[in-house]
Amino acid sequence: MSGTTGTTGTTATTGTAGTIEHVLVVGAGAMGRQIAMTAALAGCRTTVQDISADMLGAARAELEAWAEGRVAKGRLDRDAADGALGRLAWSPDLPRAAATADLVIEAATERLPVKTEIFTALGRHAPARAILVTNSSTLGSSKVADVTGRPEKVCNLHFFNPALVMECVEVVRHERTSEDTVETVMAFARRLGKRPVLLSREVPGFIANRLMGAVQREALALAEAGVASLEDIDTAARTALGHPLGPFELMDLVGLDVVAFIAEAIHAETGDEADRPDPAVAALVARGRLGRKSGAGFYDYAGSS
Ligand code: NAD
């Protein structure tokens, strides 16, 4: 976990892409705030930018509370916590925040027009040396590379939720991403205490969401065929395969609306009927059963399952 790696201030230097000292995270939502704290803990001066002052305030308060909790539990030094919080800056002003960035991590709302607008602005306002990455779960960076005027410095850097905890990050290059950019982003991810995996080309769902989708499809097929109960399918995944959560438990945790959204995005790319959101998931979403966050999904969280 990256919370204990925050005492060093070393910089990631590779090739001609230079040194990453100032990170800008665009979007202070669920992902952006934790990505920013991960970078700050690793010693990077990190600015968080969002169009919503409320989100900036909420993100700051959440990270301060998180750091306080870690210190209270003895999992993070007071100095490391204070140092990381001190390296964070908060801004509503993208041009200004981008002006000195070495690396920009875009973690804004998952809509292509939003991301296109942001990457256009980054192309204009970030220094020519700056690498621009997107945390998008479903959009390949090739969709926003051209508007930046520096497509060779653009790729996906996909964190998992919660970003402060999850070790995996997926680095996805598009056709024109340079070797130097890939190396710098991989080195940066390692500096954050992550274990980057590299995709040599864009595929819908990248690696982890494709694997998860395959397990979920099979679990749903078994349940729908009446072969086994949800509980027993989850138990088998945990006890035979060593998964920390069964597929239904995991879908409830991720949110069934998010599961359906990811499937829809993959289907839009592939056109493959097998990639469409499962009817059982869609039916639960339509009934407002979104998983843990709504109190019920495949399981009921109000009482027992
Ligand atoms: P979120 O809705 O929690 O936060 C999005 C933030 O972007 C909001 O604070 C919003 O105000 C801000 N925003 C919107 N337009 C903006 C703009 N033009 N400029 C600056 N900020 C803007 O979303 P999230 O769950 O944090 O997801 C962010 C990105 O991370 C998405 O691309 C998503 O696909 C990806 N992602 C999400 C998860 C997840 O589990 N939530 C996991 C991996 C990747």
Side-chain angles (χ1 to χ4, degrees):
M1 146 72 196
S2 50
T4 51
T5 63
T7 48
T8 59
T10 53
T11 51
T13 309
T14 61
T16 55
T19 302
I20 292 174
E21 283 168 357
H22 181 204
V23 176
L24 167 63
V25 178
V26 178
M31 295 301 294
R33 61 186 68 174
Q34 293 214 0
I35 293 170
M37 188 64 175
T38 306
L41 283 163
C44 301
R45 192 160 57 82
T46 305
T47 303
V48 187
Q49 185 274 341
D50 200 293
I51 47 169
S52 159
D54 287 351
M55 287 302 272
L56 286 172
R60 186 176 191 161
E62 187 182 298
L63 292 183
E64 284 170 2
W66 176 86
E68 203 50 53
R70 302 281 298 176
V71 170
K73 284 185 196 146
R75 317 250 321 244
L76 185 64
D77 292 346
R78 165 66 62 195
D79 285 354
D82 289 349
L85 291 171
R87 281 188 284 277
L88 287 173
W90 307 87
S91 172
D93 185 342
L94 184 65
R96 206 161 157 193
T100 57
D102 300 305
L103 171 70
V104 183
I105 304 173
E106 176 276 318
T109 308
E110 185 72 345
R111 285 187 48 233
L112 184 57
V114 171
K115 295 190 188 285
T116 303
E117 194 183 314
I118 292 168
F119 277 87
T120 303
L122 291 174
R124 204 169 296 146
H125 298 289
R129 65 172 185 279
I131 290 177
L132 314 175
V133 303
T134 175
N135 182 50
S136 175
S137 298
T138 61
L139 301 165
S141 69
S142 60
K143 291 202 160 63
V144 290
D146 280 339
V147 297
T148 65
R150 60 182 93 174
E152 75 286 356
K153 290 193 182 298
V154 176
C155 69
N156 288 76
L157 176 61
H158 181 227
F159 291 78
F160 291 83
N161 192 4
L164 274 160
V165 177
M166 299 292 281
E167 224 183 335
C168 187
V169 293
E170 293 172 322
V171 177
V172 189
R173 66 190 303 170
H174 67 84
E175 270 180 8
R176 283 170 296 155
T177 309
S178 73
E179 204 53 47
D180 205 42
T181 298
V182 170
E183 279 175 21
T184 304
V185 172
M186 295 286 285
F188 172 75
R190 287 191 199 99
R191 180 179 165 203
L192 299 193
K194 303 299 185 194
R195 282 226 226 162
V197 295
L198 177 63
L199 283 80
S200 58
R201 64 187 170 88
E202 295 179 342
V203 290
F206 309 145
I207 298 175
N209 281 337
R210 285 179 83 96
L211 292 177
M212 192 171 76
V215 172
Q216 287 168 359
R217 265 198 299 280
E218 193 54 39
L220 285 157
L222 286 169
E224 279 159 24
V227 173
S229 66
L230 306 187
E231 287 87 348
D232 281 356
I233 295 168
D234 277 342
T235 300
R238 277 190 272 99
T239 57
L241 305 180
H243 293 186
L245 290 174
F248 296 105
E249 293 164 335
L250 182 60
M251 283 189 273
D252 272 357
L253 183 69
V254 170
L256 299 184
D257 52 339
V258 177
V259 170
F261 178 83
I262 291 172
E264 196 50 75
I266 292 177
H267 171 254
E269 290 273 326
T270 64
D272 187 340
E273 281 307 301
D275 290 330
R276 268 194 195 284
D278 185 90
V281 174
L284 289 169
V285 172
R287 288 165 55 203
R289 293 181 68 111
L290 305 182
R292 280 183 181 272
K293 63 186 171 188
S294 72
F298 283 106
Y299 296 107
D300 193 347
Y301 298 94
S304 58
S305 67

